[in-house]
Amino acid sequence: MSIAQTIRERRSIRTFNQTPVPRELVLQLLNDAVWAPNHGLREPWRFIYVGSPEGRERLAALTLEASAHMKRVKLLPSKLKELMRKKLAEIPANLIVVMTEDKNEHRRDEDFAAVCCLMQNMQLLGWEQKLGMIWSTVEFIHSPVFRSGLGVREGERIVGILHMGYFDKTPKPKPRTPAEAKLVIW
């Protein structure tokens, strides 16, 4: 499969079957994904992998605890919150991508861009292996409860969570605006 074909065919996957995601596969994908461009080879990333049933339960509980202040979650009935917790715990694997926040704004922007490149690499590499992912940046990732529960340190930020798993159905592609419509030529 060509790179262009992989890019065009990749989809965000929100519904996974319960086939386990081997940790070895995630590590293999990460070892390729870290070849993302990053200025000065600062490699400003680290990862927290959650794949065991116990870890997934803990992450689901932590997510709901951290989300408790969010208006849309706070107003949900407890039955719906329990359903959310169960659905979160059923995601076969999660990769929390953490970035060191440089005090220099320019380097911090470069590092954020590098981590985003790494995360896109990860999604494309996973797609080649029939492993679906969705990149989540829900606001609870900034919660002190969530950050401390995961061991995210001062001077670090969570860039996103890659929820991953195998899937049975591929979503249909949504149209994209042609580049010509957004291209300015000087």
Side-chain angles (χ1 to χ4, degrees), residues 10-13 16 21 26 29-30 33 47-51 59 91-98 115-126 131-138 140-141 146 158-165:
R10 186 208 59 82
R11 301 285 173 269
S12 291
I13 302 297
F16 307 104
V21 176
V26 174
L29 298 175
L30 275 172
F47 316 100
I48 301 167
Y49 176 73
V50 181
L59 182 63
I91 296 170
N94 300 274
L95 186 71
I96 297 101
V97 182
V98 180
V115 173
C116 291
C117 288
L118 176 139
M119 292 178 77
Q120 176 67 357
N121 282 356
M122 189 71 180
Q123 290 182 332
L124 294 171
L125 291 160
L131 183 64
M133 297 184 203
I134 186 157
W135 180 344
S136 175
T137 57
V138 180
F140 68 77
I141 66 173
F146 192 72
I158 298 171
V159 176
I161 303 171
L162 290 173
H163 302 298
M164 59 183 81

Side-chain angles (χ1 to χ4, degrees), residues 13 15-17 126-127 130-133 165-171:
I13 302 297
T15 304
F16 307 104
N17 63 39
W127 192 257
K130 309 292 186 231
L131 183 64
M133 297 184 203
Y166 295 98
F167 56 98
D168 299 319
K169 187 176 176 191
T170 304

Side-chain angles (χ1 to χ4, degrees), residues 22-150:
R23 184 175 21 179
E24 298 77 25
L25 174 61
V26 174
L27 194 55
Q28 174 192 329
L29 298 175
L30 275 172
N31 276 316
D32 288 331
V34 298
W35 285 83
N38 65 100
H39 195 275
L41 288 177
R42 287 192 293 268
E43 300 181 330
W45 44 67
R46 74 180 182 90
F47 316 100
I48 301 167
Y49 176 73
V50 181
S52 71
E54 303 79 25
R56 294 179 354 225
E57 277 291 338
R58 286 179 44 216
L59 182 63
L62 181 61
T63 298
L64 281 180
E65 183 184 350
S67 301
H69 72 281
M70 294 168 50
K71 191 174 187 176
R72 64 177 177 261
V73 175
K74 192 186 292 189
L75 300 175
L76 293 176
S78 58
K79 276 188 179 180
L80 198 50
K81 287 180 188 175
E82 179 54 28
L83 190 63
M84 280 177 59
R85 188 206 54 74
K86 186 177 181 318
K87 186 164 173 52
L88 288 166
E90 288 176 354
I91 296 170
N94 300 274
L95 186 71
I96 297 101
V97 182
V98 180
M99 173 188 126
T100 304
E101 286 205 293
D102 197 292
K103 292 184 186 339
N104 177 285
E105 183 180 10
H106 179 73
R107 283 194 300 268
R108 189 170 54 247
D109 287 347
E110 288 177 340
D111 290 348
F112 181 77
V115 173
C116 291
C117 288
L118 176 139
M119 292 178 77
Q120 176 67 357
N121 282 356
M122 189 71 180
Q123 290 182 332
L124 294 171
L125 291 160
W127 192 257
E128 281 187 326
Q129 300 293 321
K130 309 292 186 231
L131 183 64
M133 297 184 203
I134 186 157
W135 180 344
S136 175
T137 57
V138 180
E139 65 185 272
F140 68 77
I141 66 173
H142 304 291
S143 161
V145 170
F146 192 72
R147 291 170 44 83
S148 70
L150 288 172

